[in-house]
């Protein structure tokens, strides 16, 4: 049994004893704390109501968790808008649609079916920052609860925001529905038996794309490991080839991550989902600048020709950005860190190398629907196969390793020593230590785990062998430090 409490929310396995897994008691405590801190963050006059949107993915424990969360919120005097089965980005946007004071998403993202979680949103439909998350954790541990009197209990209403979300995606100037419709694409979708099986076929239908569905019934009984990695997408790859489809689409249970399969059944690569979308958006602004003679930043306004992703994401995004004369800005790992950096630098597009596309013109959150819509538009314009499109991007491979330690105090020592050893290289310390070997266009990133005495080590190079060798080089250094 597992329960992980962090500044980004609470997640764990269902069943077991309170404090050691995600039990009803833990859910109530955490929801109460969220509501209390929401009221402190957004003070209102007496008699004014608070409103919270609650959405869930299709996992088996969803109904149980939803009832506990909604019951606790109304017991705290907050009105609830139940979005029902809703993707994470749909719930995020629903907070804005409803002018709500916050939102709670019931999803454990790519974790297996025995997991669930509460992900917490502010009034902008964005994840809470570290300080806000820490305050909720502290409040929950105090267990000093006071609930509303009977006349002050909140109310519950139910709304489906799916079409409102899709309307906003399809209304984007960068999404060309007519071009996609004329291209006559055929795709295969693997929605891993969750809410992607509801919203994604609806999007594809509205764009005139033929969709062959596998694992699209939202039963929550996942047909395979729900993380959209190549090893879990064998059925999708085979179906793409068997159906002579243009490409395959895979999403995780809450539909904020997007992985694609080429027409030949080979992975497009999660890292390249964001790269391909950024390439399209940057080229769109660049071409308009050439045509009109205006500055690219003027055309991109209110954004700039800037992109951002976290330190553990592929260098390919930086390369593609610089190809169009743009600037790349790195962020610490974590969606809220990426969105914060994007706002600071006015990024046109950003996200994470796990298939997370964040397009500020829609909202500041990872969104597989906008990722698919932009990818389809790019493909319609380029008039090439998906494998051919992939070949136009810089080719990199990331190796993922870790060092397990008996004492978490060793982590800081290792990171400090590694910085000294590689002091002549380009070093970034906003999140652990990232060492970039510019002459070789390689990098290695060491960062601490938030939950275990572990250092995660990601390394990128032109080949798997070179990436593994670079990671091992740093692991050897760390082991010498440990002694």
């Amino acid at each position: 049994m597992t329960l992980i409490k962090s500044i980004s929310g609470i997640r764990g396995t269902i069943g077991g004893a309170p404090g050691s897994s995600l039990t009803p008691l833990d859910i109530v405590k955490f929801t109460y704390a969220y509501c209390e801190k929401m009221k402190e963050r957004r003070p209102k006059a007496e008699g004014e109501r608070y409103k919270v949107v609650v959405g869930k993915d299709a996992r088996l424990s969803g109904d149980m968790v939803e009832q506990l969360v909604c019951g606790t919120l109304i017991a705290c005097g907050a009105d609830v808008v139940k979005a029902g089965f809703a993707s994470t980005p749909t719930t995020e946007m629903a907070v804005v649609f409803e002018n709500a004071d916050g939102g709670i998403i019931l999803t454990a993202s790519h974790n297996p079916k025995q997991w669930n979680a509460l992900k917490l949103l502010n009034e902008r439909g964005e994840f809470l920052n570290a300080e806000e998350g820490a305050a909720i954790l502290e409040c929950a541990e105090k267990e000093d609860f006071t609930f509303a009197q009977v006349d002050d209990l909140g109310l519950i209403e139910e709304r489906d925001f799916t079409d409102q979300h899709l309307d906003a995606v399809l209304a984007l100037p960068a999404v060309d529905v007519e071009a996609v419709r004329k291209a006559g694409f055929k795709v295969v979708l693997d929605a891993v038996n969750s809410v992607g099986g509801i919203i994604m076929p609806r999007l594809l239908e509205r764009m005139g794309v033929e969709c062959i569905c596998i694992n699209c019934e939202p039963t929550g009984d996942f047909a395979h490991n729900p993380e959209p990695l190549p090893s879990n997408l064998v059925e999708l790859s085979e179906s793409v080839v068997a159906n002579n489809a243009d490409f395959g689409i895979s999403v995780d249970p809450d539909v904020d991550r997007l992985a694609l399969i080429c027409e030949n059944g080979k992975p497009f690569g999660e890292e390249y989902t964001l790269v391909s979308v950024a390439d399209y958006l940057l080229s769109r602004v660049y071409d308009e600048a050439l045509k009109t003679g205006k500055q690219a930043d003027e055309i991109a306004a209110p954004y700039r020709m800037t992109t951002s992703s976290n330190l553990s994401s592929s260098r390919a995004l930086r390369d593609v950005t610089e190809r169009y004369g743009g600037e790349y800005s790195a962020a610490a790992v974590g969606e809220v860190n990426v969105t914060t950096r994007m706002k600071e630098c006015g990024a046109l597009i950003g996200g994470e190398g796990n298939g997370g596309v964040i397009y500020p013109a829609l909202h500041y959150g990872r969104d597989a629907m906008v990722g698919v819509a932009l990818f389809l538009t790019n493909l319609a314009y380029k008039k090439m196969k998906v494998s051919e499109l992939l070949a136009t991007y810089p080719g990199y491979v990331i190796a993922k390793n870790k060092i397990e330690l008996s004492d978490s105090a060793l982590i800081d020592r290792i990171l400090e020593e590694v910085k000294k050893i590689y002091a002549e290289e380009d070093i970034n310390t906003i999140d652990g230590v990232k060492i970039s070997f510019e002459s070789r266009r390689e990098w290695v990133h060491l960062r601490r785990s938030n939950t275990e005495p572990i250092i995660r080590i990601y390394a990128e190079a032109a080949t798997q062998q070179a990436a593994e060798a670079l990671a091992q080089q740093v692991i050897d250094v760390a082991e010498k430090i440990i002694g």
Side-chain angles (χ1 to χ4, degrees):
M1 297 298 176
T2 306
L3 181 65
I4 301 173
K5 302 174 184 179
S6 72
I7 57 175
S8 60
I10 183 170
R11 65 188 173 100
T13 52
I14 298 298
S20 64
S21 57
L22 190 60
T23 69
L25 181 57
D26 296 294
I27 294 166
V28 169
K29 287 168 54 178
F30 205 73
T31 303
Y32 177 90
Y34 168 77
C35 198
E36 285 297 293
K37 293 303 171 182
M38 175 187 69
K39 292 176 180 178
E40 290 181 13
R41 190 178 72 250
R42 292 174 61 79
K44 293 192 177 187
E46 186 176 350
E48 283 191 274
R49 309 285 292 188
Y50 285 88
K51 183 191 293 187
V52 179
V53 176
V54 178
K56 63 181 178 182
D57 69 14
R59 59 187 62 232
L60 298 173
S61 59
D63 287 347
M64 181 268 287
V65 177
E66 179 187 55
Q67 290 178 32
L68 288 164
V69 167
C70 292
T72 303
L73 288 171
I74 64 173
C76 291
D79 292 338
V80 175
V81 181
K82 286 173 61 175
F85 281 158
S87 71
T88 281
T90 303
T91 305
E92 291 170 347
M93 295 189 70
V95 172
V96 178
F97 294 151
E98 286 290 306
N99 193 28
D101 300 289
I104 301 179
I105 309 168
L106 313 179
T107 176
S109 192
H110 61 272
N111 290 112
K113 67 179 182 180
Q114 66 268 31
W115 289 77
N116 212 329
L118 278 65
K119 295 185 177 181
L120 311 177
L121 305 174
N122 61 22
E123 69 277 8
R124 296 182 300 277
E126 300 168 13
F127 290 114
L128 302 182
N129 61 35
E131 183 180 354
E132 292 166 335
I136 289 171
L137 287 176
E138 182 180 356
C139 179
E141 292 306 316
K142 288 181 179 179
E143 298 190 25
D144 184 16
F145 304 150
T146 301
F147 294 98
Q149 300 296 317
V150 67
D151 291 331
D152 298 322
L153 295 176
L155 304 173
I156 294 181
E157 63 174 310
E158 299 182 9
R159 284 199 60 188
D160 184 346
F161 296 95
T162 302
D163 284 329
Q164 202 169 350
H165 180 183
L166 296 183
D167 289 344
V169 170
L170 298 178
L172 292 166
V175 175
D176 192 334
V177 176
E178 191 56 34
V180 173
R181 192 181 305 278
K182 288 179 179 178
F185 292 121
K186 177 167 68 172
V187 305
V188 181
L189 167 68
D190 183 347
V192 71
N193 304 108
S194 193
V195 294
I198 298 171
I199 190 169
M200 194 63 77
R202 207 177 298 184
L203 170 69
L204 295 167
E205 180 183 4
R206 291 181 63 174
M207 297 190 76
V209 177
E210 180 184 350
C211 178
I212 299 168
C213 291
I214 59 175
N215 306 320
C216 284
E217 303 80 9
T219 62
D221 193 7
F222 306 144
H224 55 76
N225 185 309
E227 188 165 13
L229 300 176
S231 58
N232 301 326
L233 303 178
V234 175
E235 182 184 7
L236 177 60
S237 295
E238 292 174 346
S239 185
V240 167
V241 175
N243 287 283
N244 195 29
D246 293 290
F247 62 97
I249 297 171
S250 172
V251 293
D252 62 341
D254 67 327
V255 211
D256 61 354
R257 290 173 59 178
L258 171 65
L260 304 170
I261 300 294
C262 297
E263 82 289 342
N264 56 16
K266 295 181 179 180
F268 188 77
E270 267 192 311
E271 291 287 338
Y272 286 87
T273 300
L274 174 59
V275 173
S276 64
V277 171
D279 173 51
Y280 163 57
L281 293 170
L282 291 164
S283 67
R284 187 170 177 267
V285 175
Y286 181 82
D287 291 346
E288 183 66 18
L290 289 178
K291 187 188 305 180
T292 63
K294 295 180 180 180
Q295 294 295 314
D297 281 352
E298 181 183 353
I299 294 170
Y303 309 104
R304 298 179 56 235
M305 285 286 279
T306 304
T307 65
S308 183
S309 62
N310 67 46
L311 287 174
S312 289
S313 297
S314 176
R315 180 195 170 104
L317 178 62
R318 171 183 163 182
D319 290 354
V320 166
T321 303
E322 292 176 349
R323 180 189 297 172
Y324 295 104
E327 298 178 6
Y328 169 78
S329 183
V333 173
E335 183 174 335
V336 68
N337 296 320
V338 176
T339 57
T340 298
R341 188 70 193 110
M342 289 175 68
K343 292 175 183 178
E344 291 170 348
C345 67
L348 178 68
I349 184 71
E352 298 180 302
N354 60 9
V357 174
I358 302 173
Y359 187 37
L362 183 67
H363 68 121
Y364 279 101
R366 295 183 302 182
D367 192 324
M369 272 62 65
V370 78
V372 165
L374 293 170
F375 184 84
L376 282 165
T377 301
N378 187 30
L379 199 63
Y381 288 163
K382 293 283 179 64
K383 294 181 169 60
M384 59 174 61
K385 294 180 179 180
V386 173
S387 61
E388 294 171 343
L389 178 63
L390 179 60
T392 66
Y393 302 132
Y396 295 110
V397 179
I398 294 180
K400 300 180 180 182
N401 295 272
K402 62 183 177 181
I403 301 174
E404 297 185 7
L405 302 167
S406 57
D407 183 2
S408 59
L410 290 170
I411 294 177
D412 289 335
R413 180 182 162 193
I414 291 171
L415 295 180
E416 285 300 317
E417 289 298 319
V418 167
K419 275 197 299 184
K420 293 176 184 177
I421 292 170
Y422 293 98
E424 295 184 2
E425 305 296 341
D426 182 6
I427 294 180
N428 187 315
T429 59
I430 63 173
D431 186 5
V433 178
K434 181 174 182 177
I435 308 157
S436 296
F437 304 87
E438 289 299 316
S439 62
R440 310 198 310 256
R441 304 174 80 84
E442 298 176 352
W443 57 262
V444 61
H445 183 204
L446 297 81
R447 60 183 297 269
R448 65 169 65 240
S449 165
N450 292 327
T451 57
E452 305 168 89
I454 287 174
I455 296 179
R456 302 194 186 281
I457 301 177
Y458 286 15
E460 181 175 69
T463 66
Q464 185 71 41
Q465 183 179 7
E468 293 287 359
L470 179 57
Q472 190 58 51
Q473 176 185 324
V474 175
I475 291 172
D476 290 345
V477 168
E479 289 178 345
K480 287 182 181 178
I481 295 170
I482 296 170

